[in-house]
Amino acid sequence: DVNERAAFTAQRIRGFSVDKDTTVSDVKQALAYTKQHDGWLVLLLHSIDTKGSEYSVTPDDFEQMLQAIEHSGIKVTTMQKAISSWSGH
């Protein structure tokens, strides 16, 4: 899910879980939606490896996801800075 300014509360931050079934295209779509709605996308990753576990992504897919983030033009920041900015503090 994408956080949108109009509905944002620091107590209910939405995250986009990335696991073995998440494609690079899925991440690109989430990035496009985020940019279109001036949102904040929190990507949640648990493991980057080639084991194929339920909550892992391959290093190749992760690299492609990072490239997609870079090409999206969306600012990357820490949780603390984002919360502070979005909360108006």
Side-chain angles (χ1 to χ4, degrees):
D1 287 350
V2 172
N3 298 283
E4 296 185 37
R5 285 190 190 271
F8 177 75
T9 63
Q11 295 78 23
R12 299 188 72 185
I13 297 172
R14 295 178 176 181
F16 183 91
S17 290
V18 178
D19 59 29
K20 72 175 185 144
D21 296 324
T22 306
T23 66
V24 175
S25 180
D26 294 336
V27 172
K28 287 180 178 180
Q29 289 176 0
L31 289 165
Y33 183 91
T34 300
K35 191 169 188 173
Q36 181 181 12
H37 291 89
D38 189 29
W40 172 29
L41 179 64
V42 178
L43 294 176
L44 305 171
L45 292 100
H46 296 279
S47 181
I48 303 163
D49 58 44
T50 57
K51 296 178 184 176
S53 67
E54 183 178 349
Y55 297 106
S56 69
V57 296
T58 66
D60 289 341
D61 282 351
F62 181 64
E63 179 63 32
Q64 289 180 49
M65 289 173 191
L66 290 177
Q67 288 174 4
I69 294 166
E70 181 178 12
H71 288 88
S72 74
I74 294 173
K75 180 181 176 182
V76 176
T77 191
T78 65
M79 291 283 288
Q80 183 178 2
K81 287 181 181 177
I83 291 169
S84 178
S85 172
W86 275 43
S87 297
H89 298 108

